Amino acid sequence: MNKFLVGAIGCLATVYLINPTAGIIELIPDNIPVFGNLDDGAACYILYSCIEYFRGRKIGMFRGKE
């Protein structure tokens, strides 16, 4: 996968986790029980996958075909 694309995806996940809109714009509102934090968990997973991609460990969503 292209390093620029992985970096851009990581930046978007970071911005989503920083939450600059103070919760006004979210995919799933956090006040919904159980499901409210799924989007935040997915953003963490994406960010972790991006970090590991740049560390040289292709795991998570960027592991490719084996």
Side-chain angles (χ1 to χ4, degrees):
M1 184 162 251
N2 187 357
K3 287 186 178 186
F4 178 75
L5 182 60
V6 174
I9 291 170
C11 287
L12 287 174
T14 302
V15 168
Y16 188 80
L17 288 172
I18 290 173
N19 198 6
T21 61
I24 295 171
I25 300 173
E26 276 199 79
L27 295 177
I28 303 172
D30 286 340
N31 60 355
I32 298 175
V34 181
F35 297 107
N37 293 324
L38 289 177
D39 57 341
D40 298 325
C44 287
Y45 175 74
I46 291 169
L47 182 60
Y48 177 73
S49 296
C50 291
I51 291 169
E52 292 300 318
Y53 178 85
F54 284 113
R55 289 182 65 205
R57 297 175 52 199
K58 306 231 172 23
I59 63 169
M61 62 185 284
F62 300 117
R63 76 173 152 234
K65 296 178 182 164
E66 296 179 24

